[in-house]
Amino acid sequence: MGKPASKRPPTLFRLFLRELRHDYFALFGAVLLIILLLAIFIGAPLINHFHDVMWVNPTPLPTSPADSGTILGLDALGRNQFHMLFVAARNTLYLTFAITFLSYVLGILVGVVSGFYGGRIDNFIMRVCDTWAMVPFLMMVIVFLIIFGRTPLTFITFFTLFTWVGRARLLRAAALSQRQMDYISASKTLGTPNFTIIVREMLPNLVDVAVANFVLTLAANVGIETGLSLLGFGLGWDFPSLGVMMQNATNPMFLQHFWWVWAPPLVLVVVLMLCVNFVGNALQRVADPKQRLV
């Protein structure tokens, strides 16, 4: 009789699906998130193609859905709020995904190198990270945006420069634990170059930790971008985001009488953050076997 076929360990995707089957909040969040993302990224280009979303026709006050004959009414500049919602949501997701991705690229480079080499290199890099983490990043981002202008490029650049430290610490801790594994010692004994060990052997074993934290960080960055825009330090009306649409809520008259101007983007932000958090929590359980439901 031949040897029984050895079972392969389940992939990250299969573990995630298993978690979804036992966590109805995560399952509902994943389904709703997929629907919202498809609607946003398919609807926004179509709306831009058939309608001039940024066309301005100033009116004394916003027009209600009933009076304007539109789904979500018009704002004080005469723009269709329903159309604006799709474009603003797409812009917010573009910004936050770019910031999260770039901060992770920088964090992985710094954290994995620090954790892999250890010793003096690790000590020096961590002291730099500690010093950089002491900088009040929100205040610095606001200052640099005022100095260099509030454009998508400057927003992404300065946000990334002040948010990579947490990613570096996370990946450094994971790399330190992997550094002690037998497969790393065996590769070093065989004379495998350090770069090859890091890229081909260590990084694949850090994917589950990185992906789980990436999703949770994405939700946090949506909230930060929205908060900055709501306070008036985000991008301008020429690049609408959900936070920019919610700026009207700072006007007491708009807050009380013109709900259709600020309520839809607020609800969408809350729903997006909840869905991403539910999915991120499931991914975090996948990364940590002790937390898994099954």
Side-chain angles (χ1 to χ4, degrees):
M1 294 180 64
K3 293 183 179 180
S6 58
K7 291 184 178 180
R8 293 183 179 180
T11 62
L12 179 64
F13 182 68
R14 285 185 176 274
L15 290 173
F16 176 64
L17 291 180
R18 188 184 302 172
E19 286 295 317
L20 289 183
R21 286 198 296 266
H22 292 80
D23 185 348
Y24 295 114
F25 285 105
L27 178 61
F28 175 77
V31 172
L32 183 57
L33 183 62
I34 292 172
I35 294 173
L36 288 174
L37 292 179
L38 288 175
I40 290 169
F41 287 105
I42 294 175
L46 290 176
I47 289 172
N48 267 337
H49 179 71
F50 291 107
H51 304 277
D52 188 357
V53 178
M54 301 304 294
W55 181 75
V56 174
N57 182 25
T59 57
L61 291 173
T63 308
S64 68
D67 294 334
S68 63
T70 59
I71 298 176
L72 294 177
L74 307 176
D75 63 7
L77 296 177
R79 296 180 298 189
N80 190 309
Q81 287 290 96
F82 183 70
H83 296 166
M84 284 279 291
L85 193 63
F86 281 87
V87 177
R90 182 195 59 180
N91 291 344
T92 293
L93 292 174
Y94 275 156
L95 282 176
T96 52
F97 182 84
I99 292 166
T100 308
F101 176 77
L102 292 176
S103 66
Y104 259 89
V105 170
L106 189 56
I108 287 173
L109 288 174
V110 175
V112 172
V113 168
S114 178
F116 178 80
Y117 286 100
R120 293 182 178 179
I121 294 177
D122 178 44
N123 185 57
F124 173 76
I125 292 177
M126 284 300 100
R127 298 297 76 75
V128 172
C129 289
D130 291 341
T131 304
W132 196 246
M134 294 172 62
V135 178
F137 88 93
L138 276 179
M139 184 186 73
M140 295 304 298
V141 168
I142 291 172
V143 169
F144 281 118
L145 287 177
I146 293 173
I147 294 174
F148 294 98
R150 293 181 293 169
T151 66
L153 180 60
T154 56
F155 198 90
I156 292 171
T157 300
F158 294 122
F159 230 110
T160 301
L161 288 177
F162 289 100
T163 55
W164 62 270
V165 175
R167 318 293 85 78
R169 285 176 170 170
L170 173 72
L171 272 301
R172 178 248 184 186
L176 280 174
S177 64
Q178 292 292 322
R179 182 171 174 259
Q180 309 300 324
M181 298 293 183
D182 292 338
Y183 76 93
I184 297 292
S185 301
S187 297
K188 289 182 177 180
T189 303
L190 293 173
T192 307
N194 290 335
F195 179 79
T196 303
I197 296 174
I198 292 174
V199 174
R200 291 187 179 180
E201 300 183 24
M202 180 176 281
L203 280 179
N205 288 291
L206 304 178
V207 169
D208 50 355
V209 176
V211 169
N213 193 261
F214 180 94
V215 174
L216 292 173
T217 304
L218 183 64
N221 285 341
V222 169
I224 294 174
E225 186 279 328
T226 303
L228 278 178
S229 300
L230 178 62
L231 295 174
F233 296 107
L235 301 175
W237 283 107
D238 55 338
F239 192 86
S241 67
L242 294 175
V244 172
M245 291 185 70
M246 289 165 54
Q247 271 186 301
N248 293 297
T250 58
N251 185 325
M253 183 177 66
F254 279 47
L255 187 63
Q256 294 178 20
H257 303 291
F258 308 114
W259 61 268
W260 61 88
V261 175
W262 57 268
L266 173 62
V267 171
L268 183 56
V269 166
V270 172
V271 171
L272 280 173
M273 291 182 66
L274 285 175
C275 291
V276 174
N277 269 302
F278 289 149
V279 173
N281 288 332
L283 286 170
Q284 201 167 40
R285 291 195 300 272
V286 170
D288 186 359
K290 296 179 181 179
Q291 298 183 24
R292 290 177 190 168
L293 300 179
V294 289

